Amino acid sequence: MAQTDTADWCRRIRKEYADAYDTMTWLTPEKAVQATRARDALIHDIFKYAGSGPQWRFSETKLTIHGISPGCRFCGQGEWSCLFINGICNARCFYCPSAQNQKGHPMTSTLEFRTPEDYVDYVERFDIQAVSFSGGEPLMTFDRVVQYLKSLRARISRPLYIWMYTNGLLATQDKLKTLADNGLDEIRFDISADRYCLDVLKEAVDVIPHVTVEIPAIPEDVEKPGR
Ligand code: SF4
């Protein structure tokens, strides 16, 4: 990368993370080189041991080994809006990027949407093709999720793919059914938040059209048994 590009990226990142930039631990150029080499070696091994299965997608920015869900496809194509429906969570994942201690209002890209109608206007205005509900933990404000879901389905008749992220701790058969009945296409579980418990996934597969798992790779957890 040219030096001017690097300076420009640094300036933009400083602007975006204005309140946190100076407290972050940044990679040194030497560590960045080491990390890049380690990454290259891992990718080399993936192709070496997995044969012809792995493939690059989305302008070669994502390496996948199996098929991907429609939600992942919209995400990779940059055609979706992620609505952070609240800012509270009942789990404490060490990798969570924020404190999750304020309920707040639904927001995305620094814009707040205090009513479902406002958010539907936004989705229409920018011709957004897919929406996801994230948080925080969406099920901690279940009624809010249902309200926004219902409004999207009531006012948008064109195809709109909708999914929700959850740690699953508060998921019940009744809630899953309500979400499905109101048009949720996909539910995506962070199973590492609940010790890799699969019970709730098994319940969801009978109710929601697409059930997926999204977790970070945690080397220390490789030997942990799922439940
Ligand atoms: S479940 Fe999600 S929001 Fe909650 S602590 Fe874990 S990563 Fe953060």
Side-chain angles (χ1 to χ4, degrees):
M1 188 185 287
Q3 211 168 6
T4 46
D5 288 345
T6 309
D8 190 44
W9 276 109
C10 290
R11 187 185 56 70
R12 288 162 67 173
I13 290 169
R14 180 180 279 279
K15 191 171 167 206
E16 186 169 351
Y17 295 96
D19 48 350
Y21 187 93
D22 290 322
T23 64
M24 287 180 171
T25 307
W26 297 99
L27 278 182
T28 60
E30 296 73 31
K31 285 209 166 144
V33 169
Q34 278 173 18
T36 303
R37 285 201 187 118
R39 177 179 181 274
D40 289 346
L42 281 172
I43 289 171
H44 176 265
D45 282 353
I46 287 171
F47 279 95
K48 186 169 158 196
Y49 295 112
S52 57
Q55 57 174 297
W56 288 103
R57 299 180 197 246
F58 312 118
S59 307
E60 305 212 340
T61 59
K62 308 274 185 297
L63 180 62
T64 59
I65 297 183
H66 301 292
I68 59 174
S69 80
C72 290
R73 215 166 43 241
F74 283 113
C75 170
Q77 289 161 352
E79 292 174 339
W80 108 117
S81 162
C82 181
L83 184 68
F84 297 91
I85 199 93
N86 64 39
I88 44 173
C89 187
N90 51 352
R92 290 288 170 270
C93 306
F94 73 88
Y95 48 81
C96 191
S98 51
Q100 311 296 1
N101 54 9
Q102 295 199 339
K103 186 173 170 187
H105 297 285
M107 64 182 301
T108 186
S109 306
T110 72
L111 298 172
E112 267 188 14
F113 296 95
R114 295 194 176 212
T115 68
E117 288 67 36
D118 284 350
Y119 184 61
V120 178
D121 287 344
Y122 170 82
V123 170
E124 283 289 65
R125 172 71 181 80
F126 292 100
D127 196 26
I128 288 164
Q129 302 298 303
V131 163
S132 65
F133 299 119
S134 182
E137 166 52 49
L139 292 180
M140 290 190 78
T141 53
F142 179 66
D143 291 346
R144 193 185 269 188
V145 173
V146 174
Q147 250 187 336
Y148 279 68
L149 178 59
K150 275 186 174 168
S151 295
L152 286 162
R153 289 297 185 215
R155 279 188 46 205
I156 299 179
S157 51
R158 64 176 167 82
L160 178 72
Y161 192 82
I162 306 180
W163 75 97
M164 186 185 85
Y165 294 89
T166 180
N167 59 35
L169 289 165
L170 297 175
T172 63
Q173 194 74 16
D174 281 352
K175 285 181 185 156
L176 294 171
K177 184 152 184 347
T178 301
L179 292 167
D181 288 347
N182 284 288
L184 191 78
D185 294 303
E186 178 177 333
I187 189 162
R188 194 172 296 203
F189 290 96
D190 173 359
I191 54 171
S192 73
D194 186 21
R195 296 163 293 157
Y196 301 95
C197 179
L198 299 178
D199 293 350
V200 73
L201 265 89
K202 290 175 193 160
E203 288 196 29
V205 288
D206 290 331
V207 182
I208 311 268
H210 295 272
V211 177
T212 46
V213 168
E214 181 173 329
I215 47 172
I218 307 173
E220 292 80 1
D221 284 3
V222 166
E223 303 300 333
K224 272 194 190 165
R227 292 190 302 131

